Amino acid sequence: MGILEKIAEIEREISRTQKNKATEYHLGLLKAKLAKYRAQLLEPSKSAGAKGEGFDVMKSGDARVALIGFPSVGKSTFLSLMTSTASEAASYEFTTLTCIPGVIEYKGANIQLLDLPGIIEGAAQGKGRGRQVIAVARTADVVIMMLDATKGEVQRELLEKELETVGIRLNRPKPNIYFKPKKGGGLSYNSTVPLTHCSEKLVQLILHEYKIFNAEVLFREDSTPDEFIDVIVGNRVYMPCLYVYNKVDQISIEEVDRLAHRPNSVVISCGMKLNLDYLLEQLWEYLALICIYTKKRGARPDFGDPIIMRRGASVEHVCHRIHRTLASQFKYALVWGTSTKYSPQRVGLTHIMEHEDVIQIVKK
């Protein structure tokens, strides 16, 4: 029996099993086995076959956004509208066969946008070059999931399932579980909150499935067995995702309103160029980027060339971005903007910067 058959068999078994107190250990074990087989499926085969043509693109700009979606939902049209890159768009499926990069210039930042080939059902198993597409998506900062508004919710559910299978968790925080394998001493199990989904016996069973017998486990939140398995496996990617419903000019206004009010969703029309500016605003929020302007002593701030940083960046990060030796020669900085109590405020290296702050660095 191949890995795919084993996975299908376990999935059937999980769907058949009733979910209650008596079956939770059985389900936990099945989920652990399922995660193990899926991990084996994603590993490259050991046999030295012909090397496949990958299509990862060199990372450039301040952030990277991947466009994922089924064929013919408007990914290439969207790329051509947003960037100066022309991606071939036509009314037949699989027009795009490789990864096409473009750059969105917005608020002084260069955001790399990757137009990936359409995903089909079974992509996680390697159908239709799905594995390469998803591998590129793992390297992005944000995923834009392009959906056809005329097709309802089917596409969204299928794509979420494909990404879930390969270890991409969308719009979900990392589970707050401390896990550390040890050389000996058995299992040390603790929790700081009451647990409703996991118990010590279930944790032990899941760890035994991975042949781990000595470990420290501390639950800091009420997590599910699936989240605990994610922590053990350790190669999961947690990333924000923006669901973009295209072709809204072909559906009723009530349906548009319903889709627009769904969490993490934006409705657009590439054909009629509707709502694209709002999508860019949302994308900027999801990327958590901030602009910081620099100022020389006695001169006006340079508003033409901002430094693009991530939200939560400190003065030290700004120093490293300007020059790697600047932090060691740093005496103090003067900051104007919303991060200070008064302007200008004299701050140290640990001060957290905010969007559109102006900084003047004084060296020793």
Side-chain angles (χ1 to χ4, degrees):
M1 191 189 270
I3 293 178
L4 282 173
E5 287 84 44
K6 284 178 181 172
I7 288 174
E9 180 62 41
I10 292 172
E11 280 176 341
R12 280 198 297 275
E13 176 74 16
I14 289 174
S15 62
R16 278 200 306 265
T17 309
Q18 282 187 341
K19 290 175 179 64
N20 55 41
K21 200 77 182 158
T23 58
E24 62 179 16
Y25 299 126
H26 178 58
L27 280 171
L29 263 178
L30 287 176
K31 283 173 181 172
K33 278 182 180 160
L34 189 61
K36 212 163 91 178
Y37 286 136
R38 279 178 178 164
Q40 284 174 17
L41 193 66
L42 294 174
E43 283 169 14
S45 57
K46 300 285 186 286
S47 59
K51 198 165 186 292
E53 182 78 13
F55 44 60
D56 198 2
V57 176
M58 198 174 125
K59 220 168 184 175
S60 71
D62 302 296
R64 186 180 229 189
V65 177
L67 271 176
I68 279 189
F70 280 96
S72 279
V73 291
K75 296 188 295 297
S76 301
T77 315
F78 177 74
L79 181 87
S80 305
L81 278 175
M82 289 296 190
T83 69
S84 53
T85 311
S87 180
E88 192 187 340
S91 56
Y92 55 87
E93 297 191 343
F94 295 106
T95 319
T96 308
L97 295 172
T98 182
C99 176
I100 296 169
V103 176
I104 303 173
E105 290 174 6
Y106 185 66
K107 289 188 182 176
N110 290 332
I111 301 165
Q112 188 182 38
L113 186 66
L114 301 180
D115 177 19
L116 296 169
I119 281 184
I120 54 172
E121 203 177 341
Q125 278 83 45
K127 278 188 192 169
R129 305 192 76 186
R131 238 182 250 185
Q132 288 105 310
V133 173
I134 291 170
V136 176
R138 282 176 76 100
T139 65
D141 298 306
V142 168
V143 167
I144 288 186
M145 198 181 278
M146 286 291 267
L147 304 162
D148 192 334
T150 59
K151 300 267 172 73
E153 299 301 314
V154 187
Q155 289 191 343
R156 178 169 173 167
E157 284 161 18
L158 284 171
L159 281 173
E160 279 177 345
K161 191 179 165 206
E162 292 297 332
L163 295 178
E164 189 87 11
T165 307
V166 293
I168 296 176
R169 305 285 179 258
L170 302 175
N171 297 327
R172 252 197 269 165
K174 212 171 177 180
N176 196 354
I177 301 170
Y178 172 75
F179 169 72
K180 187 183 177 188
K182 296 188 297 186
K183 290 275 189 289
L187 175 67
S188 161
Y189 168 87
N190 247 319
S191 66
T192 58
V193 291
L195 299 182
T196 56
H197 305 291
C198 284
S199 65
E200 187 169 358
K201 187 183 170 190
L202 180 57
V203 166
Q204 208 165 1
L205 281 170
I206 292 170
L207 287 172
H208 283 192
E209 187 60 42
Y210 283 93
K211 300 197 167 39
I212 298 169
F213 302 99
N214 305 298
E216 257 181 81
V217 179
L218 172 64
F219 282 82
R220 295 195 183 97
E221 63 180 17
D222 188 11
S223 301
T224 61
D226 291 331
E227 289 173 330
F228 179 58
I229 291 165
D230 285 350
V231 171
I232 299 170
V233 177
N235 63 351
R236 305 296 189 234
V237 181
Y238 297 86
M239 58 168 65
C241 172
L242 200 53
Y243 300 100
V244 177
Y245 290 92
N246 188 19
K247 306 182 186 177
V248 291
D249 51 309
Q250 299 174 18
I251 57 173
S252 68
I253 194 75
E254 290 80 24
E255 183 68 4
V256 172
D257 192 52
R258 189 184 71 80
L259 292 174
H261 281 92
R262 294 206 60 181
N264 311 308
S265 300
V266 177
V267 291
I268 64 162
S269 169
C270 290
M272 296 179 75
K273 300 183 182 173
L274 299 174
N275 212 23
L276 296 175
D277 48 351
Y278 176 68
L279 173 56
L280 275 179
E281 278 175 37
Q282 286 294 100
L283 186 58
W284 179 266
E285 281 300 312
Y286 274 67
L287 286 166
L289 297 175
I290 56 171
C291 297
I292 292 162
Y293 302 105
T294 52
K295 177 186 177 305
K296 290 180 182 169
R297 182 181 284 176
R300 291 182 68 79
D302 178 13
F303 290 120
D305 187 18
I307 298 171
I308 307 294
M309 305 290 291
R310 294 282 154 143
R311 203 179 292 149
S314 65
V315 173
E316 190 172 3
H317 293 124
V318 178
C319 290
H320 284 304
R321 178 61 72 88
I322 296 168
H323 197 273
R324 64 179 183 275
T325 60
L326 192 54
S328 57
Q329 301 167 351
F330 178 88
K331 189 176 180 186
Y332 65 89
L334 294 172
V335 175
W336 292 257
T338 53
S339 67
T340 57
K341 288 176 184 159
Y342 46 87
S343 294
Q345 185 176 331
R346 185 170 159 162
V347 298
L349 282 172
T350 54
H351 177 76
I352 303 297
M353 304 294 286
E354 285 182 13
H355 186 45
E356 294 186 336
D357 278 357
V358 174
I359 187 168
Q360 177 188 319
I361 294 169
V362 180
K363 294 200 284 188
K364 286 174 186 167

